[in-house]
Amino acid sequence: MHAAFFLLLAASLARFLIRHPGDPRTPWIIALSVALAVLYVLGPAYVLASAPGTRPTPGRRSVWLGVVVAVWMVLVVLAPSFAWCAVPLFYTGLRTLPTRAALVLVGLLTAFVVAAQLMLADGFDPNLVFAPPAVAAVATAVFVHMQRQADRQRLLIDDLLRTRRELAATERREGTLAERQRLSMEIHDTLAQGLSSQQMLLQASERVWESDPVAARRHVRTAESIAERSLAEARRFVHDLAPAELAAGGSLPEALRSLATRESEAAGSAAGLLVRLHVDGTPTTLPDRVESALLRIAQGALANVREHAGAQTAALTLTYLGDQIVLDVADDGRGFVVPEAGGGRAGRGHGLPAMRARVRQLGGSLTVESAPGEGAVLSASIPLEPDSVSEPEERL
């Protein structure tokens, strides 16, 4: 638009000089043309100088545009051919002034254009009277419509940016809550259960400290071993790694076998619990998060058996079914009535809810079957993607 203004200004000046050589108005026309060009160029600098570093004030913009239009009007009176410069001034006014003031300016410029065209014409021409207002009306309507569309788009973009920031904040909060829940489950299934086992062993050693020193020392050594495992788990939490048994390179069956051995030594010494492991199907390498979840579920389930079931034996059964992996934990304890909605013991802590949360995060399901006097069976089933399993040799 700036280039069009200077092009039309130069063309109008050239037309006047060609059509009116030696005209006494020539010095005035040249001087006013130069003044108009200088005002048009220096106007933005004048507007910005009103408040350096801040948004220009509307008052100074209006003053600058008013001076430009006044000089142009004088030029049009002296040489009607300069009326063509009104087209760029239309858009300058629409961009600079408020909508109502800009419409008044467009009407004033259009009237001068019509008057200039009639002065150049030989006689009255209806086309010169109605065409400029029609063109000015269409151009103004298009500009105002586009400006309103741009304003709506800016509002929409602002809303989208604000929504994105809110979503990001919500995701951060949800991530924080999920991490807290994960750490809560990890601590419950490892450190808390290990401390519980140590407490039972130390209590048992205290009871037989005088009567059976050998058994007391055995209980203390077993508690020491459990404390060592718990310390390894705590260090893994700091680095956010897999369970110690799996991080050492062992498979899930090996980790469960080690768990069964420790539980038999710990609980067996204090309460006579024997834990066995049985593996069905062809063992395959599972995703780390699946192996970790199943190991934690087994730890939590055996801790519940040891503390609440009064069982003599417990069985861990790990079944590989190709498209899913199933872990069953069965005991011959006193059993309980399974609540209809919860699937766990009413009023208990968050052992079973934590297990359900682990399985649910992996898209699986957890069921509990029990009845008073008939023991209990906990079953955790996790689906596997076709590409998520591989032979152990392949992972190595």
Side-chain angles (χ1 to χ4, degrees), residues 20-326:
H20 307 279
D23 192 295
R25 296 173 297 174
T26 300
W28 289 102
I29 297 298
I30 295 175
L32 290 172
S33 299
V34 173
L36 182 59
V38 171
L39 286 171
Y40 196 88
V41 171
L42 299 181
Y46 165 77
V47 172
L48 293 175
S50 63
T54 62
R55 191 172 182 176
T57 58
R60 293 180 73 94
R61 288 183 298 184
S62 301
V63 170
W64 163 72
L65 185 58
V67 174
V68 171
V69 172
V71 174
W72 172 80
M73 288 180 176
V74 175
L75 271 173
V76 172
V77 172
L78 296 177
S81 58
F82 282 89
W84 290 106
C85 296
V87 176
L89 293 179
F90 282 168
Y91 290 99
T92 302
L94 290 170
R95 291 176 61 249
T96 304
L97 301 176
T99 303
R100 292 185 178 180
L103 294 178
V104 173
L105 177 63
V106 168
L108 180 62
L109 295 177
T110 304
F112 263 77
V113 170
V114 172
Q117 294 299 314
L118 291 176
M119 291 172 62
L120 291 174
D122 296 333
F124 178 78
D125 187 350
N127 220 20
L128 299 178
V129 175
F130 298 107
V135 172
V138 172
T140 302
V142 171
F143 184 89
V144 172
H145 175 72
M146 293 177 62
Q147 193 174 42
R148 290 175 178 174
Q149 288 288 99
D151 292 340
R152 283 195 289 267
Q153 289 179 354
R154 279 194 294 271
L155 291 176
L156 179 60
I157 291 173
D158 291 341
D159 289 341
L160 290 176
L161 292 175
R162 182 170 56 256
T163 302
R164 187 172 65 178
R165 289 192 295 267
E166 293 175 354
L167 287 175
T170 301
E171 290 176 356
R172 286 194 294 270
R173 288 193 297 270
E174 291 179 351
T176 301
L177 293 176
E179 183 64 12
R180 289 178 179 175
Q181 183 183 21
R182 185 188 71 82
L183 290 176
S184 174
M185 293 187 297
E186 294 285 345
I187 293 173
H188 175 271
D189 294 341
T190 56
L191 299 181
Q193 305 301 347
L195 291 173
S196 175
S197 299
Q198 294 173 50
Q199 181 184 28
M200 294 176 58
L201 289 167
L202 293 176
Q203 289 175 348
S205 67
E206 184 180 11
R207 287 194 299 268
V208 298
W209 191 264
E210 299 293 340
S211 60
D212 192 351
V214 175
R217 285 194 294 271
R218 186 171 62 252
H219 294 334
V220 172
R221 285 194 297 271
T222 304
E224 180 184 8
S225 175
I226 295 175
E228 182 180 358
R229 307 287 305 186
S230 299
L231 179 59
E233 291 289 355
R235 289 171 176 168
R236 295 297 172 182
F237 291 155
V238 174
H239 298 286
D240 194 25
L241 297 176
E245 298 90 340
L246 299 176
S251 64
L252 179 60
E254 293 173 352
L256 292 175
R257 188 171 289 107
S258 176
L259 173 64
T261 301
R262 293 198 309 273
E263 290 293 335
S264 296
E265 293 176 353
S269 301
L273 179 66
L274 178 63
V275 182
R276 295 188 176 89
L277 172 68
H278 182 68
V279 179
D280 285 336
T282 303
T284 57
T285 300
L286 304 173
D288 293 342
R289 58 197 184 107
V290 174
E291 292 185 341
S292 177
L294 290 176
L295 179 59
R296 297 308 189 203
I297 290 172
Q299 290 173 331
L302 289 178
N304 286 341
V305 171
R306 183 179 64 249
E307 296 179 13
H308 307 299
Q312 298 296 317
T313 61
L316 296 175
T317 303
L318 183 65
T319 306
Y320 293 86
L321 298 177
D323 61 341
Q324 63 178 335
I325 182 77
V326 180

